[in-house]
Amino acid sequence: AVQTQAKIGDSLAEFLAEATPDTKLRQLLMSMSEAIRTIAFKVRTASCAGTACVNSFGDEQLAVDMLADKLLFEALRYSHVCKYACSEEVPEPVDVGGEGFCVAFDPLDGSSIVDTNFAVGTIFGVWPGDKLKDITGREQAAAGMGIYGPRTVFCLAVAGCPGCHEFLLMDDGKWVHVKETTEIGEGKLFAPGNLRATFDNPAYERLISHYLGEKYTLRYTGGMVPDVFQIIVKEKGVFTNVTSPSTKAKLRILFEVAPLTLMVEQPGGASSCDGLCKSALDVPILGYDQRTQVCFGSIGEVTRFEEYLYGE
C-alpha cells in the first residue's frame, strides 16, 4: 500500500500524485472531477416544473439526470483511459475508445428530489481492465461520489491509499482537500431505507424498534448519496435498505452498492450485502442490472444488523 501524505489544503491533482503512481488512474479521476463540477452547475441552475428538472445541453433541453449521463460519457471519452463506460440509465457497457479502466456510474442518484433542494449526487466505481461483469467490488481501483448540496463535494477512495477523502469545490472552480476519514466508530445515527418493508419483514421491524428504543437520531433524506455520505463525514451511524415479501431490491450493486462500499470500508466501516452476511465487495457481480439489499455503517452496527435480520 502507498503510505500517502494526504495534506489538508492540497488540490485534487496534488493529492492524486501522492495517492497513486498510476498516471492513467489520475487522469481518469481528474476527468470525473471535471464532469462532477459541470453537473453541480447544471443541477444548481436547473428549471424544475411538475415532475421534471431540466437544463440545456448544447441546443437541447434535457432532464438533469440524462444531462449528467451525457456529461459523464463525454468526460470518459475525452479521458482516453477508459475502455467501457456503463450507466445506470442504460445498463449496457459502451465502448468509449480508451484503454486502462472501465467505469460504472449512477449519473444523478436522487434526481426525483432535485426540486425539493435535498442533496443529490453522482456515484461511480473504477475497475482495471476491460470488463464490468464477472468481477467483484474488491477489484475496484477507485470509487467516488459527487455530492450536490449546500456544498459541492467530491468524495474519493483510492485502492491502496488509506482512508476516504473529501474535496470541496471552491468559488474559483478548484477542488481542495478538506477532510480525510480514517475511522468510522460507533454512534447512534440511523438512516432506514425502504421502511415500508417493516410491514411484512418482522426482523426489520424489530431492528427499527431497537433504534427507536435506544434513542438513535433519525437522519434520512431518501437520497442514497447523502444518507451514506453522512456515515463517512460524521464517522458513525448506519444505513439500511432491506427487502420483504412485498418489496423488491432496488439498489444496483455495480452502479451504487460496490462503489459506496469501498468508500465506507476503506476508512474502517463495514457492509453486509444480499442477505449473505458478507461484505458487498465480495459479492460476485454477474449482471449489469444485479440488485441487492444492503447495510452500511460501523462494524458494530453492521454486526447488529446481521444478528437482527439473519440471526448471524
Side-chain angles (χ1 to χ4, degrees):
V2 182
Q3 288 303 312
T4 61
Q5 289 298 304
K7 292 185 285 295
I8 301 304
D10 275 359
S11 69
L12 178 60
E14 286 167 336
F15 166 79
L16 289 172
E18 295 275 358
T20 174
D22 190 327
T23 52
K24 284 189 171 183
L25 183 58
R26 286 182 212 160
Q27 174 59 50
L28 183 82
L29 294 172
M30 289 302 293
S31 295
M32 291 301 283
S33 77
E34 283 157 21
I36 284 167
R37 181 171 55 209
T38 308
I39 293 165
F41 176 75
K42 292 293 187 180
V43 169
R44 199 166 63 243
T45 56
S47 309
C48 296
T51 55
C53 290
V54 299
N55 209 325
S56 57
F57 183 85
D59 297 330
E60 307 176 79
Q61 285 288 315
L62 290 178
V64 281
D65 52 348
M66 297 311 293
L67 197 157
D69 195 59
K70 283 194 172 223
L71 287 167
L72 288 160
F73 273 116
E74 202 170 73
L76 290 168
R77 192 169 278 114
Y78 287 115
S79 76
H80 305 298
V81 294
C82 179
K83 174 61 175 167
Y84 291 110
C86 191
S87 164
E88 190 178 52
E89 297 291 335
V90 182
E92 282 295 325
V94 175
D95 189 335
V96 290
E99 59 177 54
F101 296 95
C102 289
V103 179
F105 57 85
D106 183 349
L108 195 62
D109 187 76
S111 54
S112 63
I113 55 173
V114 169
D115 56 351
T116 66
N117 239 355
F118 285 3
V120 295
T122 298
I123 307 169
F124 69 92
V126 180
W127 278 265
D130 60 0
K131 62 179 187 173
L132 286 168
K133 193 159 75 167
D134 303 317
I135 54 173
T136 66
R138 186 101 30 214
E139 294 163 48
Q140 286 173 103
M145 55 181 159
I147 301 106
Y148 318 118
R151 307 181 304 141
T152 298
V153 171
F154 183 36
C155 181
L156 190 59
V158 180
C161 166
C164 192
H165 300 268
E166 185 185 325
F167 298 84
L168 182 65
L169 184 63
M170 308 306 281
D171 283 345
D172 60 4
K174 292 189 172 72
W175 294 104
V176 174
H177 192 208
V178 291
K179 186 175 193 299
E180 175 183 20
T181 302
T182 54
E183 185 180 12
I184 291 175
E186 303 307 320
K188 295 182 173 182
L189 182 74
F190 78 118
N194 199 19
L195 208 49
R196 65 172 74 92
T198 57
F199 173 72
D200 55 348
N201 182 334
Y204 194 29
E205 186 180 25
R206 282 194 300 275
L207 179 63
I208 298 300
S209 294
H210 169 83
Y211 295 149
L212 297 173
E214 292 295 319
K215 297 185 168 52
Y216 278 50
T217 299
L218 171 66
R219 281 235 178 95
Y220 181 71
T221 69
M224 193 171 181
V225 166
D227 291 338
V228 176
F229 178 59
Q230 69 178 346
I231 295 170
I232 300 165
V233 78
K234 299 289 189 190
E235 301 183 2
K236 63 180 181 182
V238 63
F239 169 91
T240 52
N241 194 300
V242 172
T243 59
S244 73
S246 66
T247 61
K248 298 281 180 277
K250 284 199 330 193
L251 304 178
R252 291 169 171 91
I253 190 159
L254 180 64
F255 305 102
E256 299 166 299
V257 173
L260 288 169
T261 304
L262 189 68
M263 288 182 272
V264 169
E265 289 196 10
Q266 201 149 279
S271 69
S272 182
C273 186
D274 226 16
L276 301 172
C277 294
K278 65 180 182 181
S279 165
L281 295 179
D282 295 321
V283 174
I285 302 170
L286 306 175
Y288 305 121
D289 203 34
Q290 185 175 328
R291 297 171 190 232
T292 184
Q293 46 186 343
V294 75
C295 172
F296 298 116
S298 66
I299 291 170
E301 288 299 345
V302 172
T303 301
R304 186 193 327 278
F305 169 85
E306 291 181 341
E307 286 167 356
Y308 270 81
L309 266 289
Y310 313 115
E312 292 289 334

